[in-house]
Amino acid sequence: MTRPMKTFIQCSFTLSICCLQVHLGGGIWVEEEKWHQLQRTQGDSKFTKNLAVMIWGTETLKNRSVTGVATKKKKDALPKPPLSPSKLKIVRECLYDRVSQETADSAEITQRLSKVNKYICEKIMDINKSIKNEERRESKLLIRQTVKMENFTYDGI
């Protein structure tokens, strides 16, 4: 079920900028240059994760889950809104197009496509981990600055 990837010129009259874009389906457009970079990505995992960021963006991904079900790792975890099923379908179709160019073995294709949710879940966890690490770094920096201020003595007027 390969769908043709079409490149169109789409003009933004407000900014008077024209750029080539690729329509992935379902009203989803991505910049042609980014699409070509994605095509050169090695491995299904990186391809899927990078495509997810192109489609949803990190701001949306960090506040969502793939299925909308709360994690079982935390007892009091609340479920996050699920990712759009129509966009998930597009991710699967894009990966299918890619994988089917590499192999005709339907069992292998099915097996590789079955990992899409896992890859996107990993990307969401990576984004949230990165945010938490940044918050920790900022907190440590603030503590160091506070300690320096407390140890500072002013002998001025």
Side-chain angles (χ1 to χ4, degrees):
M1 170 182 205
T2 304
R3 11 174 215 81
M5 297 293 177
K6 298 177 184 172
T7 304
F8 295 93
I9 295 178
Q10 209 175 21
C11 295
S12 168
F13 296 105
T14 7
L15 300 174
S16 300
I17 296 173
C18 291
C19 62
L20 293 175
Q21 294 193 331
V22 177
H23 186 239
L24 303 180
I28 297 174
W29 294 84
V30 296
E31 291 177 31
E32 184 181 38
E33 179 57 34
K34 289 183 180 178
W35 177 252
H36 290 302
Q37 287 175 347
L38 182 67
Q39 295 303 307
R40 293 187 294 269
T41 304
Q42 295 294 314
D44 297 345
S45 175
K46 274 191 176 182
F47 176 86
T48 304
K49 291 173 183 183
N50 290 343
L51 181 57
V53 171
M54 287 172 69
I55 291 175
W56 284 284
T58 55
E59 282 301 308
T60 299
L61 287 172
K62 77 177 185 181
N63 295 311
R64 300 288 180 100
S65 74
V66 177
T67 61
V69 176
T71 181
K72 295 172 185 160
K73 293 181 181 181
K74 294 181 182 177
K75 291 179 183 178
D76 299 332
L78 297 174
K80 291 183 178 182
L83 294 172
S84 160
S86 60
K87 290 181 181 178
L88 274 172
K89 181 181 177 204
I90 290 169
V91 171
R92 281 190 182 82
E93 289 172 355
C94 289
L95 183 61
Y96 174 85
D97 291 344
R98 176 184 167 102
V99 171
S100 63
Q101 291 173 8
E102 297 173 14
T103 182
D105 181 0
S106 62
E108 181 181 347
I109 292 170
T110 301
Q111 186 267 336
R112 289 170 70 178
L113 289 175
S114 72
K115 296 180 180 179
V116 167
N117 284 11
K118 174 187 172 216
Y119 295 148
I120 296 174
C121 181
E122 287 172 355
K123 183 62 182 179
I124 291 170
M125 289 188 301
D126 291 345
I127 290 167
N128 288 323
K129 185 177 180 180
S130 175
I131 291 168
K132 285 181 183 176
N133 287 341
E134 182 61 31
E135 288 170 353
R136 283 187 193 116
R137 278 192 291 276
E138 289 174 3
S139 177
K140 285 180 182 179
L141 181 62
L142 185 61
I143 290 169
R144 284 188 201 125
Q145 289 172 343
T146 304
V147 169
K148 284 182 183 178
M149 293 291 287
E150 289 172 353
N151 293 334
F152 178 75
T153 54
Y154 180 69
D155 295 332
I157 303 172

